Amino acid sequence: MTAKMVLILVIGIIVGTAVCQYFITQLVSELSWHVDQGKGLARLKRKGYQTPLTRILVPIATVLILTLGSWQMAEFYLFNGGYFWLALLSFGLYLFLFIAPWINLILPYKKRFSLSFQILFNESTGTILLWLISLIRSSNRLYLDEGGVSSRPANVPLKIITIILLGLYYLSSVGLMALASQSGKRNADKK
């Protein structure tokens, strides 16, 4: 693969995750809106972030989950075999897929969502879904060279724990994104 092909591939993955996540968010938003007019999600966010304990625990849990997810993704898809060449040949753009989910740290605390923030949060939440799919489909062997000759077994229990935690975090992020989408619709209807 040439550098141009890798760059086009990585840009396609980045744009594709944002677009797919946008449609998932809109689907969840519409479904929850028709079920209970979006009141359940708003009540959950309002009651969930009022206590001082949850205001402390949510960022700590988020940082721990994202650290674990970043570490597992880097182990399986950055330092494993020839994947590091993707980072080099895409001029570092491949590393955006390892950094993007950290944008979700501000998602629970954001009050207004402009179009640029919606695109940014869809990208970061979609990247978490990409992490989940990638970790589920990855082999339980870590290759130490590009040729796939020498390998070592991966820590499978840690991989499973990471998948479960990222899945729970993804579902909560999608709920917050659906809530943001609904509040945007309500604001547009008021205008």
Side-chain angles (χ1 to χ4, degrees):
M1 282 188 145
T2 64
K4 184 178 179 181
M5 289 172 45
V6 170
L7 190 61
I8 291 171
L9 175 74
V10 170
I11 289 172
I13 290 171
I14 291 171
V15 171
T17 55
V19 170
C20 288
Q21 185 57 47
Y22 172 77
F23 287 119
I24 291 171
T25 301
Q26 294 305 316
L27 178 67
V28 170
S29 176
E30 289 297 320
L31 288 175
S32 66
W33 183 258
H34 289 298
V35 170
D36 69 346
Q37 299 297 316
K39 294 174 188 167
L41 286 174
R43 185 174 43 250
L44 180 67
K45 183 179 180 187
R46 192 173 51 250
K47 292 196 182 243
Y49 292 109
Q50 283 182 348
T51 64
L53 183 63
T54 56
R55 288 186 183 180
I56 294 170
L57 288 180
V58 168
I60 291 172
T62 301
V63 167
L64 290 174
I65 290 170
L66 290 177
T67 301
L68 186 61
S70 296
W71 177 37
Q72 288 291 298
M73 279 302 294
E75 188 174 45
F76 281 97
Y77 289 101
L78 187 61
F79 304 124
N80 187 8
Y83 286 111
F84 189 71
W85 284 103
L86 285 176
L88 292 176
L89 292 176
S90 69
F91 304 105
L93 194 58
Y94 179 67
L95 298 175
F96 179 75
L97 296 173
F98 297 91
I99 298 169
W102 289 91
I103 298 168
N104 269 2
L105 282 172
I106 21 176
L107 181 60
Y109 306 104
K110 189 76 177 148
K111 299 292 182 204
R112 293 201 181 279
F113 288 89
S114 63
L115 180 63
S116 60
F117 272 111
Q118 285 183 352
I119 292 170
L120 195 62
F121 286 130
N122 276 318
E123 176 61 44
S124 64
T125 306
T127 306
I128 293 171
L129 179 62
L130 182 67
W131 281 10
L132 277 168
I133 294 169
S134 299
L135 284 175
I136 290 170
R137 295 189 46 91
S138 66
S139 169
N140 291 332
R141 305 276 320 151
L142 296 173
Y143 294 98
L144 305 173
D145 57 357
E146 291 89 0
V149 176
S150 59
S151 65
R152 67 175 174 85
N155 188 348
V156 178
L158 185 62
K159 178 182 167 185
I160 292 170
I161 289 170
T162 304
I163 290 170
I164 292 169
L165 289 175
L166 281 174
L168 293 173
Y169 184 70
Y170 174 74
L171 291 175
S172 66
S173 294
V174 168
L176 288 172
M177 287 297 301
L179 182 61
S181 176
Q182 289 173 2
S183 68
K185 286 179 188 175
R186 275 189 241 121
N187 291 339
D189 290 343
K190 287 179 184 177
K191 288 180 182 178

